[in-house]
Amino acid sequence: MKKPFKALKLAGIPALTLAASIMAVTSANAAIVPAGTQLAQVQELVRGNGAEPASIDPQKVEGVPGSSVTKDLFEGLVTQDAAGNTIPGQAESWTVSEDNKTFTFKIRDTAKWSNGDPVTAGDFVFAFQRAVDPETASRYAWFMEIPTIVNASAIVKGEKPADSLGVKAVDDKTFQVTLEKPVPYFIKMLAHQTTFPVPQKVVEKLGDNWTRPGNMVSNGAYKLADWRVNEKIVLERNSNYWNDKATVINKVTYLPIVSTTSELNRYKADELDMTNLIPVEHFKSLKKQIPNEVRVTPYLGTYYYTFNTKRKPFDDVRIRKALSYAINRDAISKYVKGQGEKPAYTFTPETVSGFVPPSTDYSKMSQAERNAEAKRLLTEAGYGPNKPLEFDLLYNTDEAHKKVAIAIAQMWKPLGVKVTLVNQEWKTFLDSRNDGKFDVARAGWIGDYNEASTMLDLNTSTHGQNDSQFVNEMYDKLMSESRVVTSDEERSHLYTEAEKILADEMPVAPIYQYVTSRLVKPYVGGYPMSNVEDNVYTRDLFIKKH
């Protein structure tokens, strides 16, 4: 299927032509039920969600568990179809100025909040300003800096007021965004929850309590019915959603089940219709027993370890390289994971549109050569049998993370490295990692839009999720340049140079490229097999008679 935004070179397309071409190639955000399909009388879905979300406030969401729920509750100017194509959401159309810096969105007349109020351009102005306002303390404020929205960076730094952001309501249904540079992938970014509107009146009246059941007002296909912490989040169909007539599922329940084994048992007991993950140790047997229920899809993300470069001895590149080189990525991918994951020698995965991973020095070596180089580097840095390198490895509580950590600790053992494994619950783990309270930490980054910059920007010095605290002027310069290059080839070259710097400095150790593997009951229809961002919108699903 054609991906409308992959090849759009905005510099060469007049504004009105661009809007027209967008509308001509998009598909619907709706459940597409094949002719002759018999639907179940009860349209209710129960989904495993991994962990308890830290928040479901669009501007405060951090992590996949919160993102999944938020994308059912809210909708931005654009959204995605089942194949991951960018399609109109709350905006029915948009135009772009000749210099490709000013984007004007026409919000649907039928766009409403779940309480019946109209969704206005002012709601988007409020949400965009809220995202960059330091008072909001959004962990995703950096996301608004990437497309160079006018004054975004200055506001995030506290140098200018939030209301100076380059956004405005031309009228109630016309929203305008002005960029400092003609960033070619800006539209793609608007399917991310940080850019979703929030109801200004409700947020200002209730403060942080606005996300509670009975208080929350949303504009997506669903509304919040119940939230019992560490038990369940229940969403019900939003009859005021502009495309409600095309929605089939009436109720969706998210279960925060951290243990993949517990989740599997509940799936087998028919207590949920879709798991968040499949336990590694059960994958092969499930593939044999119920192959039609095992769904494996490519995923736009990388599993990696991050080094705290501000803490000794991890401020020494030799230490970082030695530990990274000694990780046998093939063994982790094939034997510890074994669900189709690929070894990662670059931070950006192959699944990113238009990205071809460059060949780096250590990716060309055999594992034996990498191990020898790791030993040499560690010895050169002053560590060995008589002076072992000792540190803590932090990961969030999860059987799969534990298995990877144990395997890697064994790979480091021949170097004379002594590792203490430390696990913490999700919210505590996020705080520890965000606050720099770690030596080496497990991490995973899932692309927020389908472009290599969604991965590489993470390691820029001003990025809010740069947990390694890596700083490299040339790297920052390359990523800054990439935002204004309209040529796919030139941008790809800049991304390749950035990857080489990461391989030379090793602030993070990429380990494997993600895939999504989960169990889905055969009666769940509409499950997307081609969305590399793993956006599984409940509005696109339906329950078949069974």
Side-chain angles (χ1 to χ4, degrees), residues 52-53 213 224-234 254-256:
E52 177 67 26
L224 182 63
D226 193 11
W227 185 0
R228 300 182 193 180
V229 176
N230 291 321
E231 186 183 337
K232 64 181 179 179
I233 294 177
V234 182
Y254 284 88
L255 303 181

Side-chain angles (χ1 to χ4, degrees), residues 159-355:
E159 296 170 356
K160 288 188 177 181
D163 62 9
S164 68
L165 187 69
V167 295
K168 71 176 179 178
V170 177
D171 57 45
D172 278 352
K173 289 293 183 177
T174 309
F175 175 64
Q176 196 170 83
V177 184
T178 304
L179 311 182
E180 292 172 358
K181 300 174 183 177
V183 175
Y185 45 84
F186 173 56
I187 295 291
K188 281 184 188 179
M189 298 182 69
L190 298 174
H192 191 269
Q193 67 268 357
T194 305
T195 69
F196 290 176
V198 291
Q200 183 171 358
K201 293 175 186 174
V202 179
V203 176
E204 289 181 340
K205 180 182 177 184
L206 300 173
D208 289 341
N209 291 330
W210 85 275
T211 57
R212 293 184 179 179
N215 291 348
M216 178 172 267
V217 174
S218 58
N219 73 322
Y222 296 89
K223 58 185 179 180
L224 182 63
D226 193 11
W227 185 0
R228 300 182 193 180
V229 176
N230 291 321
E231 186 183 337
K232 64 181 179 179
I233 294 177
V234 182
L235 313 183
E236 292 177 350
R237 192 161 157 178
N238 174 15
S239 60
N240 282 310
Y241 178 54
W242 72 270
N243 203 23
D244 178 58
K245 65 182 183 299
T247 305
V248 177
I249 289 178
N250 296 318
K251 177 180 169 184
V252 55
T253 302
Y254 284 88
L255 303 181
I257 309 169
V258 175
S259 166
T260 52
T261 303
S262 298
E263 186 183 49
L264 174 60
N265 291 335
R266 294 183 70 172
Y267 179 86
K268 286 180 175 178
D270 294 328
E271 292 178 24
L272 63 156
D273 308 303
M274 182 190 302
T275 66
N276 182 54
L277 295 170
I278 296 177
V280 174
E281 64 273 23
H282 293 286
F283 182 79
K284 288 181 182 176
S285 61
L286 290 167
K287 195 92 165 119
K288 289 179 182 177
Q289 295 164 9
I290 47 173
N292 64 324
E293 295 179 45
V294 175
R295 307 291 179 92
V296 180
T297 57
Y299 199 17
L300 198 153
T302 300
Y303 189 103
Y304 64 100
Y305 280 177
T306 183
F307 300 109
N308 189 342
T309 63
K310 298 301 181 189
R311 181 178 286 189
K312 289 186 178 298
F314 304 102
D315 58 342
D316 187 333
V317 67
R318 295 171 298 183
I319 300 291
R320 303 195 297 265
K321 276 189 171 182
L323 294 175
S324 178
Y325 284 14
I327 298 172
N328 188 331
R329 291 157 173 82
D330 284 310
I332 297 291
S333 300
K334 289 178 186 174
Y335 306 117
V336 181
K337 296 301 295 178
Q339 298 183 10
E341 293 86 352
K342 291 183 179 180
Y345 296 97
T346 56
F347 195 63
T348 308
E350 296 168 25
T351 48
V352 169
S353 177
F355 177 76

Side-chain angles (χ1 to χ4, degrees), residues 294-518:
V294 175
R295 307 291 179 92
V296 180
T297 57
Y299 199 17
L300 198 153
T302 300
Y303 189 103
Y304 64 100
Y305 280 177
T306 183
F307 300 109
N308 189 342
T309 63
K310 298 301 181 189
R311 181 178 286 189
K312 289 186 178 298
F314 304 102
D315 58 342
D316 187 333
V317 67
R318 295 171 298 183
I319 300 291
R320 303 195 297 265
K321 276 189 171 182
L323 294 175
S324 178
Y325 284 14
I327 298 172
N328 188 331
R329 291 157 173 82
D330 284 310
I332 297 291
S333 300
K334 289 178 186 174
Y335 306 117
V336 181
K337 296 301 295 178
Q339 298 183 10
E341 293 86 352
K342 291 183 179 180
Y345 296 97
T346 56
F347 195 63
T348 308
E350 296 168 25
T351 48
V352 169
S353 177
F355 177 76
V356 179
S359 186
T360 53
D361 288 344
Y362 77 113
S363 69
K364 299 172 194 170
M365 299 177 184
S366 66
Q367 189 56 48
E369 290 170 332
R370 281 193 285 268
N371 290 342
E373 179 63 5
K375 192 170 184 179
R376 186 192 71 77
L377 287 166
L378 212 57
T379 302
E380 189 180 293
Y383 292 92
N386 298 325
K387 187 188 175 185
L389 174 63
E390 299 183 36
F391 61 88
D392 291 345
L393 173 58
L394 177 68
Y395 64 94
N396 55 298
T397 305
D398 180 277
E399 294 153 28
H401 299 326
K402 183 178 181 180
K403 283 177 180 153
V404 172
I406 289 171
I408 290 177
Q410 287 299 313
M411 293 170 185
W412 285 337
K413 206 170 183 181
L415 297 176
V417 172
K418 295 183 179 178
V419 186
T420 301
L421 303 186
V422 179
N423 72 293
Q424 295 176 344
E425 293 305 314
W426 180 242
K427 290 181 184 177
T428 307
F429 165 78
L430 284 178
D431 288 341
S432 297
R433 203 177 62 185
N434 293 342
D435 296 340
K437 296 175 181 176
F438 70 93
D439 294 326
V440 181
R442 170 263 155 189
W445 190 251
I446 308 305
D448 294 310
Y449 51 96
N450 199 349
E451 172 83 14
S453 60
T454 191
M455 304 296 298
L456 295 170
D457 278 327
L458 187 77
N459 297 293
T460 53
S461 59
T462 57
H463 198 289
Q465 305 277 348
N466 180 357
D467 296 320
S468 70
Q469 300 179 72
F470 174 63
V471 177
N472 183 287
E473 285 185 22
M474 179 53 71
Y475 187 89
D476 286 354
K477 185 171 180 284
L478 288 168
M479 294 313 300
S480 179
E481 285 178 17
S482 74
R483 298 197 219 304
V484 296
V485 173
T486 55
S487 161
D488 291 345
E489 189 178 344
E490 285 180 52
R491 211 156 61 249
S492 180
H493 172 71
L494 293 171
Y495 294 150
T496 295
E497 292 304 306
E499 285 284 6
K500 287 177 180 176
I501 290 175
L502 291 183
D504 287 340
E505 296 292 327
M506 207 65 76
V508 295
I511 299 171
Y512 63 81
Q513 301 174 51
Y514 278 112
V515 293
T516 299
S517 61
R518 59 170 59 96

Side-chain angles (χ1 to χ4, degrees), residues 58-59 74-77 90 113 119 123-124 127 195-199 219:
Q59 277 77 55
F74 296 88
E75 185 174 84
L77 294 161
Q90 296 286 289
W113 292 103
V119 173
D123 293 319
F124 280 96
T195 69
F196 290 176
V198 291
N219 73 322

Side-chain angles (χ1 to χ4, degrees), residues 60-89:
K60 294 186 178 183
V61 167
E62 181 182 2
V64 176
S67 174
S68 299
V69 178
T70 305
K71 284 175 180 174
D72 270 351
L73 287 167
F74 296 88
E75 185 174 84
L77 294 161
V78 302
T79 183
Q80 290 183 351
D81 66 11
N85 297 314
T86 305
I87 60 175

